[in-house]
Amino acid sequence: MAVAHDTNNAIAQLIQLFSRLPGIGERSAARLTYHVLGSSPEYAHALGTALEELHSRVKRCQRCRNYTESELCRYCGDPKRDSSQLCVVARPQETEAIERSGTFRGRYHVLHALLSPLDGIGPDALEIEPLLARVRDEQVREVVVATPLSVEGEATALFLAQELKASAVRVTRIASGLPHGGELEYTDQVTLTRALAGRREL
Ligand SMILES: [Zn+2]
């Protein structure tokens, strides 16, 4: 597909942009591009506007760093949530997975990354400072570390446990039983409920 490399061409340019999305190869990118072209101009316009506004409308919650369009996300803004329990996840979409399990009524903290020295991702890339501040300032009694059970997820969990050692808060880790390295997002409700219920001290 020689045309795909000529980015002065509108079709080729969109194919090239779509193919940078995860899981989208050049053939899928071409299929999406021709689909948009075959749809109404209104649809293409709405798609463009939604993409354009994404970064300006969505920001990080002032408290837990989850994605939100307000100052506080819906969990931090809900007075009925139990603020003595904080569940730490790597990515915003993982809060949704834990919500689906229906067993956690505390609040969240989103790190937005995992430690990965080989990729040059150190503690500075993680939202750890706001987490430490919350443990200090809010009446947190337990931090449940729900990072994935991968090398990076375990390294991050151990690092958090060390950072929180001085604060006397209880630090727990979700139990194994999750598929190894498995992404929380794709874990079924029963497994996730078990992993939360079987959490152990870190
Ligand atoms: Zn929040």
Side-chain angles (χ1 to χ4, degrees), residues 105-132:
R105 295 298 303 155
R107 297 188 197 268
Y108 292 98
H109 192 85
V110 184
L111 298 172
H112 285 271
L114 292 170
L115 289 181
S116 183
L118 290 178
D119 301 311
I121 303 174
D124 290 351
L126 280 59
E127 295 273 14
I128 289 176
E129 278 309 316
L131 171 65
L132 300 179

Side-chain angles (χ1 to χ4, degrees), residues 11 14-15 18 26-45 47:
I11 292 177
L14 191 55
I15 291 174
F18 274 140
E26 203 163 294
R27 279 174 66 173
S28 300
R31 196 164 55 84
L32 291 172
T33 299
Y34 284 103
H35 178 82
V36 174
L37 200 53
S39 307
S40 68
E42 289 76 20
Y43 174 70
H45 181 75
L47 185 65

Side-chain angles (χ1 to χ4, degrees), residues 4 9 12 14-15 38 53 62 64 70 95-96 100-101 103-104 114 132 138 176 181 183 185 188 191:
N9 172 314
L14 191 55
I15 291 174
E53 291 180 351
Q62 289 204 333
C64 76
S70 319
T95 61
E96 307 295 327
R100 280 198 300 275
S101 80
T103 43
F104 183 73
L114 292 170
L132 300 179
E138 297 172 28
S176 48
E183 313 238 326
E185 216 185 324
D188 67 275
T191 309

Side-chain angles (χ1 to χ4, degrees), residues 8-23:
N8 291 322
N9 172 314
I11 292 177
Q13 189 182 17
L14 191 55
I15 291 174
Q16 200 265 333
L17 287 169
F18 274 140
S19 67
R20 283 166 56 181
L21 295 172

Side-chain angles (χ1 to χ4, degrees), residues 22-202:
I24 306 287
E26 203 163 294
R27 279 174 66 173
S28 300
R31 196 164 55 84
L32 291 172
T33 299
Y34 284 103
H35 178 82
V36 174
L37 200 53
S39 307
S40 68
E42 289 76 20
Y43 174 70
H45 181 75
L47 185 65
T49 305
L51 286 171
E52 200 177 319
E53 291 180 351
L54 197 60
H55 276 276
S56 60
R57 287 175 59 177
V58 181
K59 46 197 172 209
R60 292 184 183 184
C61 170
Q62 289 204 333
R63 199 170 290 164
C64 76
R65 316 310 281 159
N66 193 9
Y67 286 142
T68 178
E69 293 192 29
S70 319
E71 300 277 282
L72 294 179
C73 74
R74 60 195 169 108
Y75 307 122
C76 291
D78 180 355
K80 291 198 287 290
R81 306 285 303 202
D82 174 7
S83 52
S84 73
Q85 259 192 336
L86 269 191
C87 181
V88 179
V89 294
R91 301 182 304 159
Q93 54 269 49
E94 288 161 353
T95 61
E96 307 295 327
I98 292 174
E99 283 301 296
R100 280 198 300 275
S101 80
T103 43
F104 183 73
R105 295 298 303 155
R107 297 188 197 268
Y108 292 98
H109 192 85
V110 184
L111 298 172
H112 285 271
L114 292 170
L115 289 181
S116 183
L118 290 178
D119 301 311
I121 303 174
D124 290 351
L126 280 59
E127 295 273 14
I128 289 176
E129 278 309 316
L131 171 65
L132 300 179
R134 292 181 71 191
V135 170
R136 251 191 335 261
D137 305 339
E138 297 172 28
Q139 314 244 285
V140 181
R141 288 205 304 270
E142 181 185 359
V143 173
V144 182
V145 184
T147 52
L149 303 175
S150 59
V151 174
E152 293 82 7
E154 294 289 9
T156 306
L158 289 175
F159 180 79
L160 287 179
Q162 271 186 339
E163 291 290 301
L164 290 165
K165 211 173 221 169
S167 67
V169 72
R170 185 178 175 220
V171 184
T172 56
R173 178 86 172 105
I174 50 166
S176 48
L178 294 180
H180 188 73
E183 313 238 326
L184 245 52
E185 216 185 324
Y186 306 115
T187 306
D188 67 275
Q189 283 177 25
V190 176
T191 309
L192 210 47
T193 301
R194 268 194 215 129
L196 276 167
R199 64 189 188 275
R200 57 184 165 74
E201 304 287 330
L202 248 182

